[in-house]
Amino acid sequence: MNNSGASGTMTITLDGNEATVSQNVSGLAATFQNGPYPHVQHIHINGQGQCPTAEADANGDGVVNTAEGKPSYGGIGTTFTTSGDTSPDSATDIDRAPSGGNYTYNRTFTLSEESAQQVRENNAVIVVHGLDPSTLPEPAASAQSELVPSLPLAATSPALCAPLTAVPSGGAAAGAGGTAEMQQHPWLLTAGGMALLTAAGAVVARRHARTHQ
Ligand SMILES: [Cu+2]
C-alpha cells in the first residue's frame, strides 16, 4: 500500500577516531506537529551488524520498532546530532536531530572508542528513525513510543537502515581521501503490505588499512 520511496546514503571517513560524516536522505516523513519532522539517527553497535527483516516484528503490529530491531543492529553507540553531544545520551533529543523529509547532514566529530572499534570491525549499522504515522496500520499508527512515551511509536521507529561496510583504502596515500563503496540494503516494513526503503553506508578506514594484513 505505502511505498514511501525513502532512501539515503551515508559515508563515514575515519581518521583515527575522528569521523567525517556525509549523508543525504530523501523521501522521509516531512512534518511533525506542524514543524519539520525530526529524524534521530544513530550508529548502532554490538549487535549482528545487520538490519532486521520483517520477521523481527515480534508483536505483529506491522512495524519493526527500535526494540524489535535491536537483536540485529544492537544498541546505540553514537548519535548523529546537528550540534553538541553525540553520545547515546542524545539518542532521543529531537531538538538536535536533523529534520524534514529530505536533508543533507555533514559533520566531523570524534567517535567513542567503542563506536570507532565497531565501525572498523564491520559491526556498525546506521539507523535513521521516524516514520509517518499515517503509513502505519492501526493500532500502531496511534500507539506511543516504547522508548519515549510522550512521542508516537512512529516517531522513534526505524525508517532507514544500512550496515556500514569498511572499505580498505588500498592505494590511497596517507592523508588523502578515500573512495567509499556504497552498499544498499533493503529495509522491509510490513505496514499495509510493505514499503521498501533502502539506505547505503560506507566507511573508509584508511589509517589502519596497511597494517592489518
Ligand atoms: Cu537508532
Side-chain angles (χ1 to χ4, degrees):
M1 175 171 77
N2 294 297
N3 185 336
S4 76
S7 64
T9 60
M10 177 182 282
T11 301
I12 297 178
T13 304
L14 270 188
D15 185 357
N17 290 353
E18 187 181 79
T20 300
V21 183
S22 172
Q23 178 194 30
N24 277 288
V25 298
S26 62
L28 290 170
T31 57
F32 178 73
Q33 294 173 352
N34 300 319
Y37 198 118
H39 291 281
V40 296
Q41 46 182 26
H42 315 113
I43 302 177
H44 283 254
I45 61 172
N46 296 326
Q48 298 174 328
Q50 297 172 357
C51 294
T53 66
E55 292 174 15
D57 180 17
N59 66 358
D61 68 351
V63 59
V64 177
N65 68 31
T66 294
E68 289 170 335
K70 190 174 179 181
S72 297
Y73 49 57
I76 294 166
T78 295
T79 305
F80 294 107
T81 54
T82 54
S83 65
D85 175 64
T86 58
S87 79
D89 292 343
S90 297
T92 58
D93 186 337
I94 58 175
D95 294 327
R96 289 185 296 117
S99 60
N102 311 298
Y103 58 83
T104 298
Y105 176 86
N106 293 292
R107 195 174 173 195
T108 298
F109 58 93
T110 301
L111 297 183
S112 66
E113 180 58 33
E114 187 177 31
S115 283
Q117 190 68 22
Q118 288 280 287
V119 168
R120 285 190 284 265
E121 292 177 1
N122 260 344
N123 199 40
V125 179
I126 306 304
V127 181
V128 179
H129 301 259
L131 294 170
D132 181 347
S134 72
T135 64
L136 306 186
E138 289 292 351
S142 52
Q144 67 184 33
S145 166
E146 82 279 18
L147 300 176
V148 186
S150 62
L151 294 175
L153 173 69
T156 59
S157 292
L160 292 171
C161 180
L164 275 171
T165 303
V167 180
S169 63
T179 304
E181 176 182 311
M182 299 299 177
Q183 183 182 75
Q184 290 210 319
H185 184 93
W187 167 257
L188 201 62
L189 264 178
T190 58
M194 285 190 214
L196 187 65
L197 311 181
T198 59
V203 61
V204 177
R206 67 182 182 229
R207 184 153 166 187
H208 300 289
R210 294 253 180 201
T211 55
H212 289 204
Q213 301 283 342

